[in-house]
Amino acid sequence: HERMNLEPMILVEGMRGCGKSTLLNAVVLYARENGWLVMFARNPRDWISEKYGFVLGTETGAAVVRSQITTDRFGQPNLAVSLLKDIQKAHGDKLQNLEQKREYLHQLYQREKEGKIEKKLTTIIERGLKFPIHASNCLFDLRMELGLVSEYPVLIVCDQFNSLYWPTPYWYQGNQVTSEQLLTTSTFRCLDEDGNIRHDYKIRNGTILCATTKSFDSPFLGKAAEEYTPFYRNSTLYEPFNDNQDLKPESRKAFKSSRGISLRMKNLDREEFKNSLKHYEQALNSGFPPLTEHESEFLNVLTQGNPKKA
């Protein structure tokens, strides 16, 4: 593969249901079929949700565990193991031939093979799968290694990107764990608080593709949500996003100056809207009669070209 000359990051924005996630999934499929190495965060909003926290945490019921390697960070072992398995399944054949380019303490990611010390990217995955307590560190380190790969084009994809900057419902020894302290979210948090693309997160041979979300579910359940609403609505943890979950003007300026591209998804035109409704009807197989031309036109006007709202 020749080295790709791409912008360091592409951020896709748009109203809920306009097709951002569909676009990301299509790009991931295309990239994998064409020899790219892809790391994909599908639903990071769930990663900081009390509803899913214990499922993504540990088998013992803890939502997060303190990292044994970087003690100021926290891991979500089940989540990290799942993401590592996805990458191994999709790209294990390529990763086993790629050398590590970063240095690690305690010889974390090396093994002896035929009398020789081997440091391949697959070794990072293998350690995370063998020792789930280390899986979150392994995921983070693998992401940073992928940024240095030159042999294959690399694509880092993150849907619901702005949720990576939301506060979490997790606590450790009386202190709230921030999303920046979570190794899983830190793996994909490539913008700093000013909206600049962090230098060490840039991809040497490839790019980062992200989409924002307009779903404002609270990370907290029940009464806690009411208590924490003022906190996370006004918190600087939302940097570089404002209350409407868009990049702040000054952050957008910094984002563009660091050579990022922001794309805004348009609403569908009349024919596109009609075709989308037909797709939903066939996928749902609801048994209801298909919409008439008049009904389709009415819904198009009512939802401003958003089939998901229809």
Side-chain angles (χ1 to χ4, degrees):
H1 291 278
E2 295 181 1
R3 183 168 178 174
M4 311 295 287
N5 185 22
L6 299 171
E7 301 296 341
M9 180 177 177
I10 301 170
L11 181 67
V12 182
E13 301 174 273
M15 65 188 297
R16 186 178 183 182
C18 67
K20 301 185 295 295
S21 297
T22 301
L23 173 64
L24 262 59
N25 279 284
V27 172
V28 167
L29 179 62
Y30 175 86
R32 283 181 169 161
E33 288 185 345
N34 286 273
W36 289 56
L37 298 175
V38 181
M39 180 180 279
F40 187 15
R42 292 180 178 82
N43 301 298
R45 192 181 62 185
D46 293 347
W47 303 358
I48 54 162
S49 166
E50 192 173 14
K51 181 178 180 181
Y52 297 100
F54 295 113
V55 177
L56 302 175
T58 70
E59 301 297 339
T60 61
V64 296
V65 293
R66 190 172 185 174
S67 170
Q68 297 177 349
I69 301 170
T70 48
T71 55
D72 60 335
R73 297 295 184 94
F74 296 85
Q76 296 168 288
N78 289 347
L79 169 61
V81 165
S82 174
L83 292 170
L84 289 172
K85 285 181 177 178
D86 286 347
I87 299 168
Q88 183 185 51
K89 182 178 179 180
H91 307 297
D93 57 333
K94 294 183 176 67
L95 296 177
Q96 67 181 352
N97 297 317
L98 295 176
E99 297 286 343
Q100 298 168 24
K101 294 183 172 65
R102 302 170 77 224
E103 295 295 326
Y104 302 96
L105 297 175
H106 313 304
Q107 301 175 345
L108 274 178
Y109 307 129
Q110 68 180 45
R111 65 181 176 188
E112 187 174 336
K113 186 176 181 180
E114 298 177 356
K116 296 181 180 178
I117 298 299
E118 190 175 75
K119 298 181 180 180
K120 305 290 186 180
L121 294 193
T122 46
T123 313
I124 300 177
I125 297 178
E126 289 166 2
R127 183 174 185 87
L129 298 183
K130 185 177 181 180
F131 303 103
I133 195 70
H134 296 161
S136 298
N137 281 96
C138 295
L139 179 71
F140 180 85
D141 290 335
L142 179 63
R143 156 59 181 96
M144 304 313 284
E145 287 282 358
L146 289 175
L148 302 175
V149 168
S150 57
E151 293 87 343
Y152 300 97
V154 173
L155 181 65
I156 305 297
V157 183
C158 182
D159 203 355
Q160 304 171 349
F161 176 69
N162 44 327
S163 66
L164 299 178
Y165 296 82
W166 294 357
T168 81
Y170 309 134
W171 296 77
Y172 182 80
Q173 295 184 348
N175 296 310
Q176 188 176 25
V177 177
T178 68
S179 53
E180 188 171 12
Q181 289 176 297
L182 282 179
L183 284 159
T184 43
T185 53
S186 292
T187 299
F188 297 92
R189 280 174 53 120
C190 54
L191 295 183
D192 63 20
E193 64 274 9
D194 296 318
N196 294 301
I197 303 171
R198 293 173 173 169
H199 180 73
D200 54 343
Y201 277 72
K202 291 183 179 181
I203 308 299
R204 177 176 294 178
N205 184 25
T207 190
I208 303 168
L209 174 63
C210 299
T212 58
T213 178
K214 291 288 185 179
S215 299
F216 307 129
D217 292 351
S218 165
F220 302 96
L221 295 178
K223 192 171 186 302
E226 298 177 14
E227 295 173 356
Y228 279 91
T229 295
F231 166 74
Y232 69 76
R233 282 273 172 84
N234 300 310
S235 173
T236 55
L237 291 173
Y238 269 87
E239 298 283 2
F241 304 94
N242 62 17
D243 288 341
N244 295 320
Q245 307 311 308
D246 289 322
L247 283 171
K248 289 185 175 181
E250 61 271 24
S251 295
R252 184 179 297 282
K253 183 178 179 181
F255 176 67
K256 289 185 176 180
S257 70
S258 55
R259 297 183 67 236
I261 296 178
S262 178
L263 302 177
R264 183 164 291 277
M265 298 285 285
K266 70 180 184 67
N267 293 347
L268 304 183
D269 62 28
R270 185 180 301 174
E271 286 303 312
E272 291 170 335
F273 183 83
K274 234 173 18 175
N275 289 334
S276 292
L277 285 184
K278 287 180 182 177
H279 169 74
Y280 280 120
E281 288 170 354
Q282 292 171 357
L284 293 173
N285 193 22
S286 61
F288 292 105
L291 294 173
T292 65
E293 189 77 21
H294 176 74
E295 289 170 331
S296 295
E297 183 64 25
F298 173 75
L299 286 174
N300 183 31
V301 174
L302 187 66
T303 64
Q304 298 181 324
N306 189 321
K308 188 168 184 177
K309 286 187 177 181

